[in-house]
Amino acid sequence: MLGGGECPDYWEWSGYTLEKLIITGGNRLTGKVSVSGAKNAAVAIIPAAILCEGVCTIDNLPYIDDVIVLKDILTQIGAKVDLTTDGKMVIDSSGINTYRANYDIVNRMRASYYLIGVLLGRFGKAEVPFPGGCDIGARPIDQHIKGFSALGADIFVEHGIIKASAKRLVGAEIYLDVVSVGATINIMLAAVKAEGNTTIVNAAKEPHVVDVANFLNCMGANVKGAGTDIIRIKGCQQLKGCSYTIIPDQIEAGTFMIAAAATMGDVTVCNVIPKHLESVSAKLVEMGVTVEEMDDCIRVKNNARPKKVNIKTLPYPGFPTDLQQPMSTLLSIAEGTSVITENVWEARYKHIEEIKKMGAKVKIEDRVAIIEGVPKLYGAPVTASDLRAGAALVIAGLMAHGKTEISNVKYIDRGYENIEQKLIKLGADIVRVKE
Ligand code: EPZ
């Protein structure tokens, strides 16, 4: 089976300064925070722009490492890319002249696998090294490969590089054996310019799948059914440039909602689509937290230790795996014993060893975490092992007594824009220092 890679240490060679966050816990978070654009939509929509040979303007992008890496990747293959710190990217891909992506850059992120779909779609050929990304368990891409093969591409792997080529891509019916966000999006990307009709059955329904389909349609593609488990694509010969605004990041929003509950706070999380957060709101309410939904804001208020709950992570609209780590951290101070079952990724409990250093009582049995709530966590030096583990440790630090020092902030920066600035505005005591 084709597998994914581990988080690389590219930051050292790229001159990235190692930093840590120091949090003095105990402050209630209060006030308003505005959520940035969705990372997991951005990392697909930016490469999708090269399917047309015109100019695309993408707005509401989060200014995070993954977006900056994508700018470098597109520039390296010949696109002209302009990115502003307020999240606007203009991509002119008329000058792209290669279907080969460079290992050194691609290895810096997981979602570089979307380059296979878009290069296949544009050139009928792609050579892309295996992706990097967070180490949260085996990360196979067999369903992506199955989809490309069904569309008529020959795929093989040589020296760690995935090589795909097709004389012509022809639409097909593709049944996904597992519900995969990445495979659903990648097959859409390759299929929009294929001859004839493609149907993806058992497709992922995440909001960012819908966002990518909307962007493709904005470029002139014909994608219907995104957001349901059957997506139908009518191939077209040419796409045109367009302007598009990315949806808000529901995982960042959920992280702030959990942080508000964890600090007995009162926070209004703005620029959100409340519907995307229903599973999170429902769990918080079950825990005794007050959640008030408005048009594009959610207010979260709490004044007591949360009640225990059980959670099973599932594809959307189930409880998102990407919020399991922040949520299990909040449950470490719940009244009673909570049980979490992580159904999506097999190794997504690395934050647990760290919060145990802070006084949490958790037993892991395979994919299940049994969390016996304690009244308080205590500050300690801890290390982020991946993006959401980092977010979980920030939440642990905010609710703990005393000082927490979080190393490996680089993982958090991959997915959260200005996290400490946003938290400071809400009243947190948090500083970033060089390691
Ligand atoms: C996306 O990863 C997200 N990443 C992840 O977000 C998120 O955790 C995940 O979806 C699930 O929601 C991006 O969008 C860039 P999958 P992806 O394919 O697409 C199995 C975060 O914290 N599978 O939906 O790589 C796989 O092993 C990150 O922001 C196969 O078996 O995930 C997993 O168990 C981390 N074969 C399940 O499916 C395949 O070919 C879901 O994976 C593909 C996946």
Side-chain angles (χ1 to χ4, degrees):
M1 186 155 58
L2 297 168
E6 297 203 344
C7 272
D9 262 332
Y10 72 90
W11 289 275
E12 282 77 357
W13 67 254
S14 67
Y16 187 97
T17 314
L18 292 179
E19 293 172 328
K20 59 185 172 184
L21 292 176
I22 302 180
I23 303 177
T24 306
N27 290 7
R28 272 186 88 217
L29 297 187
T30 56
K32 282 189 180 172
V33 63
S34 181
V35 165
S36 303
K39 166 181 94 79
N40 288 341
V43 296
I45 287 175
I46 296 169
I50 73 172
L51 282 166
C52 80
E53 290 179 32
V55 177
C56 288
T57 303
I58 307 167
D59 243 316
N60 198 34
L61 286 168
Y63 196 75
I64 53 174
D65 282 355
D66 274 8
V67 167
I68 297 165
V69 170
L70 272 167
K71 172 182 184 264
D72 292 349
I73 292 177
L74 294 199
T75 306
Q76 198 179 57
I77 60 174
K80 276 195 204 134
V81 188
D82 190 33
L83 172 66
T84 57
T85 50
D86 62 352
K88 182 187 238 180
M89 189 182 272
V90 181
I91 303 168
D92 176 353
S93 57
S94 54
I96 293 184
N97 48 23
T98 176
Y99 53 84
R100 291 195 176 101
N102 183 303
Y103 173 82
D104 289 343
I105 304 192
V106 167
N107 192 40
R108 286 159 62 183
M109 68 184 301
R110 170 76 186 162
S112 50
Y113 50 41
Y114 292 134
L115 290 168
I116 310 171
V118 297
L119 290 170
L120 252 184
R122 173 136 172 198
F123 296 111
K125 272 190 172 191
E127 291 189 8
V128 179
F130 263 111
C134 284
D135 180 15
I136 50 180
R139 302 188 74 175
I141 56 167
D142 56 298
Q143 298 303 304
H144 305 228
I145 305 290
K146 174 179 163 174
F148 299 144
S149 304
L151 296 173
D154 290 323
I155 318 251
F156 67 100
V157 179
E158 197 175 56
H159 309 307
I161 295 175
I162 303 160
K163 299 188 173 179
S165 64
K167 282 209 177 71
R168 53 192 193 117
L169 292 171
V170 181
E173 174 158 329
I174 299 154
Y175 177 86
L176 295 181
D177 302 330
V178 290
V179 179
S180 159
V181 172
T184 303
I185 293 177
N186 229 344
I187 296 167
M188 282 197 304
L189 297 174
V192 282
K193 289 173 83 179
E195 279 177 43
N197 299 338
T198 297
T199 308
I200 308 173
V201 184
N202 199 27
K205 295 180 277 203
E206 267 67 3
H208 35 289
V209 173
V210 180
D211 211 31
V212 176
N214 288 342
F215 173 69
L216 292 169
N217 287 339
C218 187
M219 288 199 295
N222 186 333
V223 181
K224 293 205 170 105
T228 75
D229 54 11
I230 300 190
I231 298 178
R232 295 179 202 280
I233 302 153
K234 261 194 194 149
C236 64
Q237 285 196 331
Q238 245 193 333
L239 297 177
K240 58 181 189 321
C242 71
S243 294
Y244 192 78
T245 301
I246 300 245
I247 53 166
D249 195 309
Q250 85 265 27
I251 304 302
E252 188 197 1
T255 305
F256 282 114
M257 290 166 70
I258 293 168
T263 58
M264 310 299 154
D266 180 355
V267 174
T268 304
V269 186
C270 302
N271 183 33
V272 299
I273 299 173
K275 172 98 188 127
H276 293 169
L277 286 146
E278 273 174 350
S279 62
V280 182
S281 299
K283 272 298 154 195
L284 288 172
V285 169
E286 203 181 318
M287 290 160 79
V289 176
T290 306
V291 179
E292 198 186 322
E293 288 181 4
M294 289 154 261
D295 284 351
D296 62 353
C297 296
I298 301 183
R299 182 173 179 187
V300 177
K301 268 196 294 186
N302 190 26
N303 54 19
R305 276 175 73 190
K307 295 181 206 150
K308 68 179 174 81
V309 293
N310 297 337
I311 293 178
K312 292 183 177 157
T313 64
L314 287 169
Y316 187 83
F319 190 90
T321 170
D322 296 346
L323 287 172
Q324 175 269 111
Q325 291 156 297
M327 194 58 129
S328 49
T329 301
L330 169 58
L331 287 173
S332 72
I333 58 150
E335 303 250 21
T337 299
S338 307
V339 179
I340 301 221
T341 311
E342 172 54 69
N343 289 310
V344 181
W345 299 114
E346 65 200 13
R348 224 174 189 185
Y349 285 133
K350 292 194 175 146
H351 63 298
I352 294 289
E353 278 315 306
E354 303 302 299
I355 61 169
K356 276 162 84 172
K357 294 179 190 161
M358 302 173 71
K361 283 196 183 163
V362 188
K363 220 164 70 186
I364 307 284
E365 289 171 3
D366 193 21
R367 284 175 177 259
V368 176
I370 301 154
I371 307 172
E372 191 189 323
V374 294
K376 232 184 180 354
L377 295 187
Y378 294 88
V382 287
T383 303
S385 55
D386 58 81
L387 167 59
R388 308 299 171 191
L393 294 178
V394 169
I395 288 171
L398 291 171
M399 67 191 194
H401 180 78
K403 263 193 179 33
T404 299
E405 286 190 21
I406 306 171
S407 304
N408 274 352
V409 177
K410 60 195 181 189
Y411 291 125
I412 305 175
D413 292 337
R414 282 193 44 216
Y416 291 88
E417 181 177 42
N418 285 332
I419 189 162
E420 77 268 26
Q421 293 310 324
K422 289 186 181 183
L423 287 169
I424 288 167
K425 275 200 191 137
L426 294 174
D429 182 341
I430 171 167
V431 287
R432 183 183 284 252
V433 295
K434 289 193 182 16
E435 288 219 49

